[in-house]
Amino acid sequence: MVSKTEQSQLDRLENQVDNGGGGDWEYLCLVRKLKVRRSDKVLKYGLAILNDPKKRSSLGQDEWTLYEQVAIAAMDCQSIDAAKDCIKVLQKKFSESKRVGRLEAMLLEAKGSWAEAEKAYSSLLEDNPLDQVVHKRRVAMAKAQGNISGAIEWLNKYLEIFMADNDAWRELAEIYVSLQMYKQAAFCYEELILSQPTVPLYHLAYADVLYTLGGLENLQMAKKYYASTIDLTGGKNTRALFGICLCTSAIGHLAKGRNKEEKDSPELQSLAVTALEKDYKQRAPEKLSLLTTALKSMKIS
Amino acid sequence: MGLGFAVGVFGVLILAHAAYSTIQYRGLLKIMEEEFSGPPMNVVIELLLGFAVCMWAALTVPGNFLSIHPYADENRIVSLPANLDFMIFNHRGKAFPLDLDLKLKH
């Protein structure tokens, strides 16, 4: 989870490192801690540290973590040679390690030799059948080969065993959304909200899925979840504010023919509109006219 | 940290002194064969002073307060981590390999 302060810290460090202001190692640590994907930068600055014997030896034990990080980043950037060299160093140091074995299998994956990678993963699983990362790699491999239904099948099997793995639930939800299977995606997001009720982004994603599903009941639910996102973010999430406006407009359209007895909280959307206008006035005054026309076309302001 | 800690120790000393004074006062009362109705004024002032100093030290020494609001900047989650366990390597970046000469040189 990346909070607002961590995000700004990362941006600041990234800027500093890009301009040659030092702090490379701190930046790499932060990238690792926040689990963000900055492979090109990790490869560039990580290799610079590894190629400098003085800097490398000053890291102590963290040196090996950096080798691993750089190896994965190199695979992501298709620099197979660099990845191979890093893995070779790790192999020399930890010859029996499962973690290095995993890296080697990932290298096979990056090269595109799927059958060999599959073989490597199965032999790793034979040694330790409950290795979560290897299970996840198999899902990713199915996805990389374009076998989305296979990935879903693997992931469902995986989630039957490891039900508390939030990342896997999120991955499954995203796959379902990409296939437009919104009902299944909604189930995954419900699961995520249940296990981490304070993360506003899950509420937001769930509301998005419900809004996409449509229908009066779903729209009303979506509006509630957009409202809870606003509650958790203190109104600083623009997407949730727009969501409230869109839901109100869509509910208005659907309920036009029916009796208008359930006009719940008419002040909610006017408050959202006010918050949006204030936000735009503060951060992008030149786009304010766009906002007002968009809101007018929704017939709510 | 150093200052706050010293102030805290000073506060505890004041409280200890107040306790000592009270005991002495009671001893004096026993000799004069009077009833104990309450501690003398200077002990009460000492107690209040010691309490205030200790409280100040206890609030400053352990560190700053953290926000518990979910929408505070430290707690507000703005993005989820990239799902690195599920990362795949044959993405569109494959079409644009980095043209840097990146090699491990040892």
Side-chain angles (χ1 to χ4, degrees), chain A residues 101-121:
Chain A
R102 219 153 58 204
L103 278 180
E104 281 170 340
M106 276 166 92
L107 184 66
L108 291 172
E109 232 184 285
K111 280 186 201 155
S113 22
W114 306 113
E116 286 171 60
E118 176 66 43
K119 217 181 282 168
Y121 283 134

Side-chain angles (χ1 to χ4, degrees), chain B residues 39-104:
Chain B
M41 203 54 198
N42 59 342
V43 171
V44 173
I45 290 170
E46 217 173 12
L47 270 177
L48 288 177
L49 190 73
F51 173 66
V53 167
C54 281
M55 191 150 93
W56 182 83
L59 290 180
T60 40
V61 170
N64 289 326
F65 282 101
L66 298 175
S67 176
I68 58 164
H69 293 302
Y71 46 81
D73 272 359
E74 302 96 74
N75 298 333
R76 186 155 54 92
I77 291 164
V78 289
S79 65
L80 294 167
N83 234 340
L84 291 185
D85 284 337
F86 292 102
M87 100 200 294
I88 56 175
F89 301 123
N90 62 345
H91 44 71
R92 57 189 162 178
K94 207 172 179 174
F96 303 100
L98 294 177
D99 47 345
L100 298 160
D101 177 35
L102 293 168
K103 276 238 167 76
L104 202 62

Side-chain angles (χ1 to χ4, degrees), chain A residues 2-5 7 34-35 37 43 51 56 67 76 78 136-137 140 144 167 170 232-234 236, chain B residues 70-71 73-74 76-83 85 87-91 94 102-106:
Chain A
V2 185
S3 73
K4 178 73 185 154
T5 14
Q7 174 103 34
L34 299 182
K35 292 191 190 135
R37 195 165 176 173
L43 181 60
N51 282 333
R56 196 181 67 220
Y67 270 115
D76 201 15
Q78 297 295 323
K136 289 184 186 180
R137 286 312 314 161
D167 287 339
R170 180 152 73 94
L232 289 169
T233 53
K236 284 176 187 135
Chain B
Y71 46 81
D73 272 359
E74 302 96 74
R76 186 155 54 92
I77 291 164
V78 289
S79 65
L80 294 167
N83 234 340
D85 284 337
M87 100 200 294
I88 56 175
F89 301 123
N90 62 345
H91 44 71
K94 207 172 179 174
L102 293 168
K103 276 238 167 76
L104 202 62
K105 296 175 196 121
H106 59 85

Side-chain angles (χ1 to χ4, degrees), chain A residues 66-177:
Chain A
L66 182 59
Y67 270 115
E68 189 188 18
Q69 193 184 5
V70 170
I72 293 174
M75 286 184 245
D76 201 15
C77 295
Q78 297 295 323
S79 317
I80 302 290
D81 293 336
K84 210 185 277 174
D85 293 339
C86 287
I87 294 173
K88 220 177 272 169
V89 174
L90 284 171
Q91 173 78 48
K92 214 186 275 172
K93 170 84 182 170
F94 311 98
S95 50
E96 290 288 299
S97 166
K98 292 268 152 44
R99 202 158 148 182
V100 179
R102 219 153 58 204
L103 278 180
E104 281 170 340
M106 276 166 92
L107 184 66
L108 291 172
E109 232 184 285
K111 280 186 201 155
S113 22
W114 306 113
E116 286 171 60
E118 176 66 43
K119 217 181 282 168
Y121 283 134
S122 342
S123 77
L124 280 172
L125 274 183
E126 256 167 43
D127 292 337
N128 180 9
L130 294 179
D131 192 330
Q132 298 198 20
V133 181
V134 174
H135 279 290
K136 289 184 186 180
R137 286 312 314 161
R138 288 177 114 182
V139 174
M141 215 163 68
K143 204 173 82 175
Q145 292 175 81
N147 178 12
I148 303 288
S149 54
I152 290 178
E153 202 177 305
W154 281 113
L155 205 47
N156 274 319
K157 252 185 224 161
Y158 171 79
L159 279 171
E160 260 169 39
I161 311 171
F162 306 100
M163 272 178 238
D165 191 335
N166 293 321
D167 287 339
W169 279 112
R170 180 152 73 94
E171 180 70 21
L172 187 59
E174 279 164 12
I175 290 177
Y176 277 137
V177 167

